[in-house]
Amino acid sequence: MTDDIRKRLDPEASIPKHVAIIMDGNGRWAKKKGQPRIAGHKEGMNNVKTIATAASHLGVKVLSLYAFSTENWSRPSKEVNFLMRLPVDFFGTFMPDLIKENIKVLVTGFTDHLPDRTRKVVLKAVEDTKGNTGMILNFAFNYGGRAEIVNAAKNLALKAADGSIDPVKIDDAMFAGQLLTNQLGDLADPDLLIRTSGEERISNFMLWQLAYSEMVFDKTYWPEYSVDNLVEDIKEFDRRDRRFGSI
Ligand code: FPP
């Protein structure tokens, strides 16, 4: 598969090192099929394996997936409970595939506030794949961009108050060092953000990190988002001219 899928892109194509995806449209996909919303989340979960494998074969270094936001707690409890169980299903089913693909799992989010079972299974997946050297599959789970920035500001204020940093010296790098994505090092900022389902907004995802990301809004609902869609969206990225504020 590696060669096959890579051949679909120009050999000179620029592959985004960090791809972030807002996996939207599970509920609408389910409605279209006359099924309950949770059926859409289940199908969406299965699609994570397909797209993560393809991204890894295309040479993507980090794939960040927005799986649960700090605002998603306001959904009906039946849906929240189902979403909290998804990592249990996902890692229970796909861990052998992740190991085979040499994929390293990370989680970016406020894991302390997750139900015990969810937190344990997510942290175990991180632990079990920590020696893998391939693509990083970064789940944004109980993640919110504003909460992340407030948390960073609070950490820096506490350090300034106890004298361990000089507040005058706070700069971009020091601030980014307090963000949850600091664990991704120099790959923390996505090169490409994809949002599925046709909605065109950021929804509190990686507010700091998306400063210079290219954005592609794909009309496909996440459960139907295919390897073809991913290849097309990466081709679109390759056509963009990134200037980072310069000329
Ligand atoms: C948004 O669609 C999607 C979510 C809130 C959940 C996304 C989660 C997955 C795709 C599975 C994640 C997998 C693991 C392993 C954690 P929506 O429900 O807002 O759809 P709608 O806008 O059509 O209603």
Side-chain angles (χ1 to χ4, degrees):
M1 181 178 174
T2 309
D3 288 346
D4 284 357
I5 188 168
R6 190 60 188 79
K7 273 191 209 138
R8 293 170 59 184
L9 293 170
D10 188 298
E12 304 286 300
S14 134
I15 309 281
K17 289 195 185 79
H18 183 171
V19 176
I21 307 185
I22 302 179
M23 307 178 288
D24 196 12
N26 293 347
R28 277 163 287 163
W29 177 86
K31 192 170 176 209
K32 191 175 82 173
K33 298 241 161 202
Q35 292 175 16
R37 292 178 55 80
I38 56 173
H41 294 315
K42 174 87 181 168
E43 193 65 18
M45 178 198 84
N46 290 331
N47 203 29
V48 167
K49 189 226 152 185
T50 307
I51 297 302
T53 307
S56 150
H57 290 184
L58 283 164
V60 169
K61 306 283 180 223
V62 178
L63 178 67
S64 290
L65 300 176
Y66 203 10
F68 191 89
S69 78
T70 44
E71 286 69 42
N72 286 151
W73 295 106
S74 64
R75 294 190 176 204
S77 60
K78 190 170 162 239
E79 185 169 340
V80 169
N81 293 342
F82 190 85
L83 289 167
M84 286 297 138
R85 231 192 49 216
L86 281 182
V88 181
D89 279 8
F90 181 81
F91 294 118
T93 312
F94 296 128
M95 188 47 92
D97 299 277
L98 300 181
I99 303 277
K100 193 171 130 250
E101 292 292 334
N102 195 22
I103 286 174
K104 179 179 171 134
V105 174
L106 287 183
V107 60
T108 294
F110 298 94
T111 47
D112 289 357
H113 305 141
L114 293 173
D116 267 5
R117 187 156 179 240
T118 311
R119 190 180 62 253
K120 278 188 189 136
V121 86
V122 166
L123 296 181
K124 183 168 186 316
V126 172
E127 178 64 25
D128 289 351
T129 60
K130 72 172 186 217
N132 289 356
T133 54
M135 188 185 79
I136 292 173
L137 179 56
N138 176 39
F139 284 98
F141 207 80
N142 195 25
Y143 172 84
R146 286 188 176 180
E148 177 189 41
I149 289 171
V150 168
N151 185 59
K154 205 179 285 173
N155 288 347
L156 289 174
L158 288 168
K159 284 177 194 290
D162 75 13
S164 56
I165 61 162
D166 175 355
V168 173
K169 298 219 168 94
I170 295 174
D171 59 7
D172 280 16
M174 204 190 278
F175 199 90
Q178 296 301 320
L179 296 171
L180 300 171
T181 47
N182 187 40
Q183 58 182 338
L184 295 168
D186 59 4
L187 293 175
D189 297 348
D191 301 289
L192 169 64
L193 171 78
I194 299 168
R195 183 174 186 144
T196 63
S197 91
E199 303 294 338
E200 299 190 1
R201 53 180 177 269
I202 305 296
S203 299
N204 203 18
F205 189 45
M206 294 200 175
L207 297 179
W208 171 283
Q209 297 85 343
L210 291 174
Y212 288 103
S213 308
E214 294 298 324
M215 298 188 187
V216 172
F217 298 100
D218 195 304
K219 291 205 170 352
T220 319
Y221 293 152
W222 173 253
E224 289 172 335
Y225 184 83
S226 65
V227 173
D228 287 348
N229 292 121
L230 179 66
V231 168
E232 285 312 309
D233 292 344
I234 290 180
K235 283 185 183 166
E236 173 59 26
F237 171 82
D238 182 44
R239 287 192 288 270
R240 302 273 176 96
D241 179 17
R242 299 184 82 195
R243 300 211 192 104
F244 300 95
S246 186
I247 53 169

